[in-house]
Amino acid sequence: MSLDPNSRLGAVEEWRVATLSLILLAVMFTVLIGSHILANSLLSIPWLLPEAEGALIGIPVALAVYLFVPRLVKIPRKSVFITVPSRSILRWAGVAVVLVGVVTVGSIAGLSGTLEIHASDGRFLSRVLLSAVLLGLLAAITEELVFRGYLLSFIGHNWGWPAAIVLTSILFGLLHNGKVAGPGASELYVLVATSAGLLYALVTYYTGSVWNAVILHAVWNTVFHTQVISIEPAETQPERAIVSYEYAEAGFLFGGNWATATVSPFVLLVLVVASATVLLVYQANSTG
């Protein structure tokens, strides 16, 4: 682990840490919501989907705010995992592609349905891809800098790193409650988000850089939370996506009648296995 446990961050008063944590969480929600409100009233960009326009405001604001905070409170950026991005983000981008590939191929292989690819319209393709990348980066940057940059560091220096990894993952999961509809679907989504948070926290902790978690998070959101790949039943299928897989029925492993394939026990299993793999590999390297 690259962080020095005797860093100046450990000497910051608990009341200041608690206050700053709440402020950073409030800023995160303000950036995510406020940027879209501002974009809707100020911007109208034909080469972007309307929901992505807010990213043009939110991304620079988030970077400016969260990169300035360490200087404001006089702690080293390295103490909150905000180091200069290194080439390791390319490796983790590759890991992210493998993860989304496993979920996509596994879901399609496990479900009987119809596959459609809409890649002939160059204007549609470029518009969706650019919008998807911006949306993925907006959520990844704002959420990762808060949860795995600051909160993970604050809790780790005060209560220990195992507690920090677990608590920030649970909080991250709980904040995704209510984002999907249906009996049991929201609870499952909380578990999926918690397991994703666990993966991001482990990667940040063991690599010493939040940017590796940012790239993992960004690729996942870009692919599964936009119109890039849609694996859903007919009644919830978006109007158009680059890759659409429409299925009629799904077993429990892929969400059954209460969740979509990309928010399912299968996805939960993939994320848990990925987290366990990161933990075991880094622990083996540290003892080897």
Side-chain angles (χ1 to χ4, degrees):
M1 177 55 210
S2 60
L3 284 194
D4 178 7
N6 297 316
S7 161
R8 278 179 284 171
L9 180 58
V12 177
E13 297 90 339
E14 289 187 11
W15 67 268
R16 182 180 292 182
V17 167
T19 303
L20 186 56
S21 299
L22 291 174
I23 291 173
L24 291 172
L25 281 169
V27 170
M28 182 192 78
F29 286 112
T30 301
V31 170
L32 287 173
I33 298 171
S35 60
H36 290 294
I37 295 173
L38 280 176
N40 288 338
S41 60
L42 299 176
L43 303 178
S44 180
I45 303 174
W47 39 270
L48 277 182
L49 296 174
E51 57 267 26
E53 292 174 348
L56 294 178
I57 298 173
I59 290 173
V61 169
L63 286 172
V65 169
Y66 297 127
L67 295 181
F68 176 72
V69 167
R71 179 171 294 182
L72 180 66
V73 296
K74 298 179 179 176
I75 56 175
R77 283 183 181 171
K78 186 177 180 181
S79 294
V80 286
F81 297 102
I82 304 178
T83 57
V84 176
S86 67
R87 290 184 181 180
S88 64
I89 63 172
L90 298 177
R91 183 190 317 130
W92 290 103
V95 172
V97 170
V98 171
L99 278 176
V100 299
V102 169
V103 171
T104 302
V105 173
S107 298
I108 291 176
L111 295 164
S112 177
T114 303
L115 177 67
E116 292 185 5
I117 299 177
H118 305 102
S120 58
D121 186 341
R123 180 174 295 182
F124 165 76
L125 189 64
S126 59
R127 189 174 184 228
V128 169
L129 283 175
L130 179 57
S131 300
V133 169
L134 287 172
L135 282 169
L137 283 171
L138 175 61
I141 289 171
T142 51
E143 293 177 0
E144 290 309 312
L145 286 176
V146 172
F147 282 96
R148 263 63 67 172
Y150 290 99
L151 295 184
L152 181 66
S153 304
F154 292 161
I155 297 173
H157 279 290
N158 285 280
W159 292 355
W161 296 108
I165 291 170
V166 172
L167 288 174
T168 55
S169 301
I170 292 173
L171 178 59
F172 182 71
L174 290 175
L175 289 178
H176 287 75
N177 185 39
K179 289 196 173 183
V180 294
S186 184
E187 289 81 359
L188 176 61
Y189 192 46
V190 168
L191 291 176
V192 170
T194 299
S195 61
L198 178 63
L199 175 62
Y200 303 148
L202 287 169
V203 169
T204 300
Y205 173 76
Y206 281 114
T207 65
S209 174
V210 73
W211 303 113
N212 296 321
V214 167
I215 197 67
L216 274 172
H217 195 162
V219 171
W220 185 275
N221 279 9
T222 296
V223 173
F224 290 132
H225 296 294
T226 61
Q227 291 176 290
V228 175
I229 295 179
S230 174
I231 307 173
E232 299 187 22
E235 60 270 17
T236 60
Q237 192 71 241
E239 184 177 341
R240 196 178 184 191
I242 295 175
V243 177
S244 301
Y245 191 75
E246 182 180 303
Y247 58 90
E249 295 183 2
F252 170 80
L253 184 61
F254 296 100
N257 297 322
W258 45 286
T260 62
T262 49
V263 183
S264 65
F266 174 65
V267 174
L268 178 62
L269 178 63
V270 170
L271 290 171
V272 169
V273 170
S275 299
T277 301
V278 169
L279 179 63
L280 292 174
V281 167
Y282 277 96
Q283 283 191 339
N285 288 340
S286 65
T287 57

